[in-house]
Structures are given as C-alpha cells and as structure tokens.
C-alpha cells in the first residue's frame, strides 16, 4: 500500500517535468518548414536592400528586438502603435523619437504575408530580421528557434522601468538582465552590440563637460575622442539629438572592436565604460578584445537566450495580420 501511494505521488512531478520540456520544445528552428518553407529567404531578400542602403538599420533592428524582449518578453509589443487607451511602448522614454525600423518590419511582414498568409508572427519576423541584418554587417550566424506568437498588449510603464539606461550604474543594469533570466556574461556580451550604431549626444554629453557635477569632463574618456565629441556635441541643448558612432573605429562593421575601445577609453556611454570598473566584467572585456571568435560565439548564444525570454507559444497570443495593431 505504501509503495503504491509513493508511485502515485510521483506521477504529478514527472508529468510537470514533461510539460515543462514540451513548452520549451514548442520553439523549433524548423517550425515553419511546412507552413512557410521559404521564410528565411523572404526575410533576407527584404532586408538586404535595406541594409545596403542604410547599414545603421542593422543596429536599429537589433535595438528594437532587444527593447521588445526585455519588456514582458519577446512578443512584438514594441511594434504596436499607441491607442486611445494605451500609450504603448513606442512612447516610452527609451523608444520615443529614437526607436527605428518599424517600417522595415512592416515591409518584411507584407512580403511574408504574400507567401504565407496569417502564418508567421511579427515577433518571429523581428527576430529573424535582426539576425539577417546582423549577418549582413559581419555579425555571427546562429540558429534561432521559431514559433513565437504575438502579444495583445504593450506597456509604456514596463518599458520605462525595464529597459536599461545609459545613465544607470552597472549593478542596476545587471539586475535588469538577471530578472529576465540572462546572466552577467549575457550582459557583457550583448553590450558588444555597441560595435555598431549611433548614440544621441544627450546620452553621453555629461561626460564631455560636467561629469558628476565636477564642471570637468570624465577622466575616463580619451582626450582625442573628447575633443572630437565636443565638436559634434557642443554644450547646448540644440545638440542633444546629434549623433555619434558608438564605435568610431569600424562604424559599419560588427566585430569585437568595441571591447578594444573599452580598454582604450574610447566608448561613448558611461554605462559601457562602467564594465571596466568591475574586476569580473573587466576580465570578460579583455578576453573578448583578444579573441574575436570567442565574442562571436558567445554573442550568438546570448542572442538565442534573449530571443527566448518570455515567449508566447501554442494558443497564447495571436498571429497579427498587421504588426502595428492587434487583430
């Protein structure tokens, strides 16, 4: 009798473990093989002319993908337009007037819909478009499991609170990553995305003129870069929206130069330079600066982890017909 009771009590645990495995297995790199077999080719053909015309768009799509996944999971919520009842994530401070690439995703979605109507989620399209765009500027190849579904809501408040800010201390940024199931290494390696793209002067100007209210520039900023940035971003409000490349060495190329820039004190953002103020993260920076293959490998692995944060699968969410509005 006792033996029988023990066996019966073990069944729910085994069943729950099976369900947990099943939920994870719903994402599959071959998810659309039968329903949209040319999906990757369609996305590539849509993205290639965009990147050929504007290499900066690779960084913009990567930022859009990150801002989507870090806020309530990868559910395409960042793509939703504001409504009469919700300001949405587009109006959140980290995205307002700075997030780019929405029209690119619209175009890819339209191309996919022509071939495979009501089949591929906007979330998967953004995820794939990001991978393709990165590959076109020298980024790593990595296999992305697919099968995500689109969320039904967007949260301005969650975007304001969850997206890391360039003004935050390292411990706060690390906490935001770990709260999403990402670890310290993921944070350091995904920061390497700053090897491409541009930053507004408003995100680093305090380092140029009045660092920590000292009335002087940040001493952890290379003097020659400082002089150049002061000309791009003069100390007046009208320069706030001016742009400077995050990696001035290889502006349009995805590589490991960002980490060399950290060692040389030639990064723009205070939050990036903070990686050198911690022994653990500084050691990772040194390794990634020395071994480009290591960075490429780990970046791909972290991108897969990022793309799995809080995904909707099965019957949850929906497949949007238009990425900007729910069905």
């Amino acid at each position: 009798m006792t033996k029988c009771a023990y066996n019966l009590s073990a069944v729910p645990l085994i069943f729950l473990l099976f369900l947990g495995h099943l939920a994870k297995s719903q994402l599959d790199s071959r998810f659309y093989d039968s329903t949209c077999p040319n999906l990757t080719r369609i996305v590539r053909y849509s993205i290639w002319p965009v990147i050929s015309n504007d290499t900066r768009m690779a960084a913009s799509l990567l930022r859009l993908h990150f801002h989507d996944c870090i806020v309530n999971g990868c559910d395409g919520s960042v793509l939703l337009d504001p409504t009469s009842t919700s300001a949405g994530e587009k109006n959140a401070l980290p995205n307002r007037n700075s997030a780019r690439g929405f029209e690119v995703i619209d175009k890819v979605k339209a191309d996919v819909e022509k071939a495979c109507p009501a089949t591929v989620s906007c979330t998967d399209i953004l995820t794939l478009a990001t991978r393709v765009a990165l590959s076109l500027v020298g980024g790593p190849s990595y296999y992305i499991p697919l099968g995500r579904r689109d969320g039904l809501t967007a949260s301005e408040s969650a975007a304001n609170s969850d997206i890391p800010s360039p003004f935050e201390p390292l411990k706060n940024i690390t906490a935001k990553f770990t709260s999403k199931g990402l670890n310290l290494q993921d944070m350091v390696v995904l920061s390497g995305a700053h090897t491409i793209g541009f930053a507004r002067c408003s995100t680093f100007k305090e380092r140029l003129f009045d660092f920590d209210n000292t009335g002087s520039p940040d001493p952890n900023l290379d003097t020659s870069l400082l002089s150049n940035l002061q000309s791009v971003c003069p100390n007046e409000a009208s320069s706030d929206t001016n742009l400077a490349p995050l990696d001035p060495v290889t502006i349009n190329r995805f590589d490991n130069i960002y980490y060399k820039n950290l060692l040389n004190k030639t990064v723009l953002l205070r939050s990036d330079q903070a990686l050198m103020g911690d022994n653990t993260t500084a050691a990772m920076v040194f390794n990634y600066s020395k071994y480009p293959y290591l960075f490429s490998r780990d970046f791909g692995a972290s991108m897969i982890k990022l793309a799995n944060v809080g995904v909707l699968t099965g019957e949850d969410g929906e497949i949007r017909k238009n990425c900007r509005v729910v069905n």
Side-chain angles (χ1 to χ4, degrees):
M1 186 73 176
T2 304
K3 182 178 180 181
C4 180
Y6 174 80
N7 287 340
L8 287 174
S9 67
V11 169
L13 176 59
I14 294 171
F15 184 65
L16 288 173
L17 289 173
F18 171 76
L19 286 181
H21 172 74
L22 183 63
K24 289 182 179 179
S25 68
Q26 287 177 329
L27 289 185
D28 189 327
S29 60
R30 303 182 65 180
F31 186 85
Y32 296 109
D33 278 8
S34 61
T35 57
C36 195
N38 293 320
L39 175 60
T40 301
R41 184 181 302 173
I42 295 168
V43 174
R44 177 169 286 273
Y45 283 173
S46 293
I47 291 294
W48 183 83
V50 173
I51 302 302
S52 296
N53 183 60
D54 178 14
T55 53
R56 181 187 166 206
M57 188 55 69
S60 297
L61 290 174
L62 175 55
R63 183 172 184 258
L64 204 59
H65 177 49
F66 176 76
H67 283 200
D68 180 41
C69 292
I70 211 71
V71 180
N72 297 329
C74 308
D75 62 355
S77 55
V78 73
L79 303 173
L80 289 171
D81 282 342
T83 66
S84 58
T85 58
S86 172
E89 293 169 29
K90 288 183 178 180
N91 275 338
L93 289 176
N95 294 323
R96 190 186 307 161
N97 299 321
S98 66
R100 302 171 74 239
F102 299 109
E103 71 291 344
V104 175
I105 299 303
D106 291 341
K107 175 62 166 61
V108 179
K109 175 66 171 175
D111 290 344
V112 171
E113 284 293 306
K114 290 177 185 176
C116 317
T119 301
V120 184
S121 68
C122 296
T123 317
D124 274 346
I125 286 174
L126 175 57
T127 304
L128 279 173
T130 299
R131 186 188 70 178
V132 169
L134 287 176
S135 71
L136 292 173
V137 295
S141 297
Y142 50 93
Y143 288 101
I144 284 287
L146 300 169
R148 296 163 192 77
R149 289 169 65 86
D150 298 319
L152 304 176
T153 60
S155 173
E156 179 184 13
S157 60
N160 280 327
S161 63
D162 293 0
I163 296 174
S165 162
F167 306 107
E168 289 185 279
L170 185 63
K171 66 176 182 178
N172 288 25
I173 295 174
T174 302
K176 290 186 176 183
F177 273 78
T178 56
S179 71
K180 306 299 179 180
L182 302 169
N183 59 31
L184 184 66
Q185 178 176 313
D186 295 317
M187 187 270 290
V188 174
V189 75
L190 290 175
S191 295
H194 289 167
T195 184
I196 54 174
F198 289 71
R200 291 187 173 194
C201 291
S202 59
T203 61
F204 59 86
K205 192 189 291 185
E206 52 101 20
R207 298 187 71 198
L208 310 182
F209 302 102
D210 189 21
F211 182 69
D212 280 347
N213 298 315
T214 60
S216 302
D218 185 349
N220 286 314
L221 189 61
D222 176 77
T223 54
S224 60
L225 177 64
L226 172 65
S227 176
N228 180 59
L229 291 176
Q230 286 176 334
S231 65
V232 174
C233 309
N235 195 17
E236 51 195 41
S238 61
S239 72
D240 283 355
T241 57
N242 292 353
L243 298 173
L246 286 162
D247 171 10
V249 180
T250 54
I251 297 174
N252 298 317
R253 181 76 181 171
F254 193 97
D255 51 30
N256 71 326
I257 298 299
Y258 162 83
Y259 298 102
K260 296 183 179 182
N261 293 341
L262 275 168
L263 296 175
N264 295 329
K265 300 182 178 181
T266 55
V267 293
L268 304 190
L269 304 182
R270 179 174 184 164
S271 55
D272 284 337
Q273 192 60 49
L275 294 176
M276 297 305 298
D278 176 269
N279 290 337
T280 302
T281 56
M284 294 181 194
V285 167
F286 177 78
N287 284 335
Y288 289 137
S289 73
K290 191 174 181 181
Y291 303 109
Y293 171 77
L294 180 66
F295 167 56
S296 181
R297 184 200 69 184
D298 289 354
F299 187 85
S302 291
M303 285 297 289
I304 294 171
K305 287 181 66 176
L306 173 67
N308 285 343
V309 172
V311 297
L312 301 174
T313 60
E315 297 301 315
D316 293 332
E318 65 179 10
I319 304 297
R320 277 184 226 144
K321 298 175 183 177
N322 179 337
C323 293
R324 293 175 180 264
V325 296
V326 296
N327 294 340

